[in-house]
Amino acid sequence: YVHPPAHVAQWNMSGFKPVPSGDAFAGTPHVFCPRWVKRVRLLSQLWENRTFFRQGWKLPFQIERRVIEALEYFGYTEVDNPVKAAFTFMSELDSWKPNNWLQDPLVNRHFINRAPPGLTGDKVKLFSHLRDLSRRCEAFDLFSILPETYLTDDAEDCQKIREKVTDDSWMRKDGKEHLGRGIEPVSALLDGDCEDLDSPQKEKSSVVYQRKIDTLKVNGKATSFRMYALIASFDPLVVLNNVGHNGFMYIAGKDEREWYSQEQTSTLTFEQLDAQMAKQYGITNFYEKHIYPQFRNILSYSIAAVKDQFVGGVGHYDLICQDILMSSDLKLHLLEMNSGCFMEGFGDKVAGRQFLGVHATETVLAVQRALLSDTSVMDLLDDNLRTSNGLFELLYSNQPGAEFSQGQASVCDAGERTGEEKMATPAAVPNKRDGEEAQKEGLGGSIGLICLFVLPQSFCRRFVESIFAAKTYSHEFQLPSLTSAAIAGHSAKDSLVPRLEGKPIQYKTGGSDGAVTLQDLREQLALDPGTIFATLEGNGSCVTPLSLHQETFTGLDETTVLLSVDETSEAHALLAAYVHPPAHVAQWNMSGFKPVPSGDAFAGTPHVFCPRWVKRVRLLSQLWENRTFFRQGWKLPFQIERRVIEALEYFGYTEVDNPVKAAFTFMSELDSWKPNNWLQDPLVNRHFINRAPPGLTGDKVKLFSHLRDLSRRCEAFDLFSILPETYLTDDAEDCQKIREKVTDDSWMRKDGKEHLGRGIEPVSALLDGDCEDLDSPQKEKSSVVYQRKIDTLKVNGKATSFRMYALIASFDPLVVLNNVGHNGFMYIAGKDEREWYSQEQTSTLTFEQLDAQMAKQYGITNFYEKHIYPQFRNILSYSIAAVKDQFVGGVGHYDLICQDILMSSDLKLHLLEMNSGCFMEGFGDKVAGRQFLGVHATETVLAVQRALLSDTSVMDLLDDNLRTSNGLFELLYSNQPGAEFSQGQASVCDAGERTGEEKMATPAAVPNKRDGEEAQKEGLGGSIGLICLFVLPQSFCRRFVESIFAAKTYSHEFQLPSLTSAAIAGHSAKDSLVPRLEGKPIQYKTGGSDGAVTLQDLREQLALDPGTIFATLEGNGSCVTPLSLHQETFTGLDETTVLLSVDETSEAHALLAAYVHPPAH
């Protein structure tokens, strides 16, 4: 409960998986309250029981099939009994009904996709609920979101039909029919409708009368919209809008009924619609201005009408679609909502829909993990309330402590504040939208301090002491006046110095040398958000702006200047792109904020900004200004690059016929990157390019040579600790080794340029022609090596090898991420006659399946985590260390690479080769766990490139375990200034570079995201202390500091249950905990006059051990319900509050561990 694994979508869960928590429905009563126990046991199903059951799905294109495909990709397996499954898919299940949970055997035991109550499938029910909402809420005009519609089983509505239906502007619809059936034009009430309304024998009518809509026309054709929403949880109810990337417009064309607008002949994505509306009607940003706000309101009212009916649906979720019309006056009208909508998956003809199933499933898993462990759903969202992939935005949540609603429907519930009111309340969740509001004021973000439990107390103690010990220093800023006129008059020979204006300042620092970081200075000077620090370069001929990240490690000196830029100038557009790039560059609809176009990076006019900075920012702006790609020369259908192109197409990128026009280029004839290529390469700084990394891929001899050179200059590195014993035939020292060692049949000769088993033969001596004429200038460089055979790990008697992946997300700065194993696999040999050849690719096992196999065959548990991943990380670490200096200049370059690796029978890994352009078949891939790797890698590359080119820390993309938000990639190496990091043993080979641990411990470096992981080893809690971050207004911390000095002291006596194994074993249903409660008097402080204090504040004041948990005494003292750290933030101390200190050997400890530390993904 307190520490669920970090990444529940993946079987390899950030290296931390709680012990099994047992059977949730065992007969023995618990000290913990039954409802809490059932919820935590359901939570633990996410990692203890990775299975699903499906029954009754007859249609191949339903959403549920896409979710099942996603679960299979994440390693879930199918079982033949719903009782055994964590996830159930049963098409015969009715829609959820209120109070179903009282008798439903699936509730609290399984995760279930189920149609939400009153919303989907039956248009009449949906309309009835909305009509009822309009009758009890005067502020809601029903026909503001629906076409004018009247029911034939309601007396009031029937009277309206008689009065209004008098011409051919109406239609009659059977609400139970779909796909255009049951619809006819009418001009009067038909016989049989609206009759015998009071008769108890009359069945409830499904017929409505509805006014026709004169729909928006695209090239003269009627249109309709298909849009999506995710009900990620029924109870608590959490609803997210799809922000439009996956929705689309239907264009009619064949139906003879010109008034029927839902015909599905062809489609436009909303990105394409934006372009069409700008061209046809001159309306820009059409989706953002005219569609999304109305869609959000429609969904808001729909949820408001039925939200009370979701109670009890723990573990339930659904992905729903809405069919919507837009009238010619640009007003949206909801027609219907459906569950089980059609989508064809990877091969979907509708652009932007192929990967929706996997993204929705990831989101459901993350939300369910958060809710069942009582951690805030807000923690899953960015500052714009969007999920990490940018596809979903929070619309509604009633999770305690994270209540939120947006859209106009919130006015209909007097007992519920609007999202704005909630977020402004101190006790509620922080307002994640603050940053968005600040953008409207200028280029900066909001500035101030917030105190969070992250670093040791000593950090804030030093921080506070430094305030009182601070000395005052003076500095005179050089302030360039960068107006449009100044830029227009600037030439290459000009110097900025004549236009620099002095601005004397005073600042404080605790040091004796006057040193201060620009981050500290920004706060002290209370700088306007639109004021930017920059560095004067080139003898005063240009300036390079600095990002907020760079301010954290850049000190004030004589080259520091302040920029205040005219908003009408091109300089402002460039700065806006740099300081506030869109949050989600993978999607065209970029969190509602897209900088104005920044122009041509290579125009003839010189800039006041330094050229290198301008080129990088212009490349950055390509991510949203030029969403195109070019491909040439890819002849093989299964290469990684084709998967990346498919992902770009899914995100809305379109193909162009000229590499000069493209943001992304895919050109198979490009050689591997070479050092200093950037000096003459016309593609560098203009395009994002997938390119084979230098010295790593394609040529085994080059890779071996680089690693051998590293071993010769680094004594700590044993070359054959990561490679089979290997010797080159063009190196005199190696040739001597071959003559001495190759004397039996334990060796093979390999041509390093060959692949797929070719060019390999067994040898027992040096062959003629090898190792000859080494000094001859005419002799070509040899590609032949001699290598000792490896007695590989056997699975059921068959030789094996591994295929593993890594992502070089950027060449310069160099950022390398391991794939954490979810997408890798084991090859099992079976057909090759050479029994010593182990790379034959006959069948495969995922690493999750291998874990089970090794436990069964060899009795080794957690095999991947213990024996594979640490060695793989070291292999990649040494490989990168051997060539990292050769990446310089490759701005915008990236590649996804694969490694072929053997494991010997002594469980030691041996690298054979690395390759670029590896094979993967995409959605229909026969290798489990590889289908969606392309889209996840592409998302990560886009996010990393956005961060690097805007000089924001790559660390901000990672969780506490240094993993990406999808859990698939872990940072191995970064040389980004201010975010330098390396892990693996190779760091000892570079005396000029500290290890990852040393770097992270340095105050000036990035905060140690691994602190929490270390703290887990001490107990159930995380590390405790204070860190001051620029997040909230200064007044917040001012009040916080004042409250410390104004604090009064109060006393409280805790009731402390002793929950040992013995106590639990002796507990029965009739027992009360009260006899075992022990008093523990405490003293605490609060700035208030009523003694009120939150448990979060109390935890800090008492310096509680991480293993000590707050709980609430319930049921007249018969049980306790533990509280999460999130719940502590809004729960006050009272007489029911108890402290838990749990014996680690008890079942209670296992339950708590699942609750406190569930996996993140």
Side-chain angles (χ1 to χ4, degrees), residues 627-640:
R627 292 168 51 78
T628 60
F629 66 87
F630 169 82
R631 57 177 155 185
Q632 178 179 302
W634 295 112
K635 299 174 183 176
L636 300 173
F638 301 136
Q639 284 178 290
I640 280 177

Side-chain angles (χ1 to χ4, degrees), residues 782-986:
S782 174
S783 61
V784 172
V785 300
Y786 281 64
Q787 191 172 83
R788 191 181 292 277
K789 296 176 186 173
I790 299 295
D791 177 22
T792 70
L793 174 70
K794 303 296 190 298
V795 168
N796 293 328
K798 296 179 179 179
T800 62
S801 64
F802 297 139
R803 167 64 57 93
M804 305 182 77
Y805 298 93
L807 181 62
I808 304 177
S810 168
F811 282 19
D812 187 5
L814 181 56
V815 175
V816 184
L817 302 107
N818 308 310
N819 181 260
V820 294
H822 172 73
N823 305 104
F825 53 92
M826 167 185 270
Y827 284 123
I828 301 176
K831 295 177 182 176
D832 200 289
E833 295 176 357
R834 299 170 294 181
E835 76 287 343
W836 48 267
Y837 179 61
S838 53
Q839 283 186 267
E840 185 200 347
Q841 304 169 8
T842 305
S843 60
T844 62
L845 286 180
T846 66
F847 286 129
E848 184 173 11
Q849 293 168 333
L850 178 61
D851 264 10
Q853 177 67 31
M854 294 302 290
K856 177 182 176 182
Q857 185 175 344
Y858 294 98
I860 305 174
T861 58
N862 294 325
F863 186 71
Y864 176 83
E865 184 181 327
K866 293 177 182 175
H867 298 284
I868 299 178
Y869 188 60
Q871 293 187 71
F872 166 60
R873 191 159 52 190
N874 278 331
I875 287 174
L876 190 60
S877 169
Y878 281 118
S879 302
I880 295 299
V883 298
K884 62 185 179 184
D885 296 335
Q886 301 189 41
F887 287 88
V888 174
V891 176
H893 285 52
Y894 64 94
D895 201 22
L896 179 63
I897 61 175
C898 57
Q899 297 90 53
D900 287 330
I901 298 174
L902 297 183
M903 176 171 271
S904 52
S905 54
D906 60 356
L907 307 186
K908 179 181 170 186
L909 287 190
H910 307 263
L911 174 65
L912 296 182
E913 60 183 298
M914 293 192 187
N915 286 297
S916 181
C918 313
F919 282 9
M920 49 174 59
E921 298 181 52
F923 187 81
D925 206 317
K926 303 175 191 69
V927 177
R930 202 168 58 172
Q931 301 94 327
F932 299 105
L933 177 56
V935 74
H936 282 132
T938 305
E939 283 181 303
T940 305
V941 166
L942 289 166
V944 168
Q945 291 288 345
R946 170 201 169 278
L948 297 176
L949 291 171
S950 60
D951 289 321
T952 52
S953 174
V954 73
M955 293 290 178
D956 294 342
L957 306 176
L958 309 175
D959 66 13
D960 292 340
N961 294 295
L962 299 176
R963 294 195 178 181
T964 53
S965 59
N966 55 37
L968 293 177
F969 297 100
E970 178 185 84
L971 185 65
L972 176 91
Y973 181 85
S974 165
N975 64 9
Q976 182 193 18
E980 298 89 347
F981 177 78
S982 65
Q983 60 174 322
Q985 296 170 354

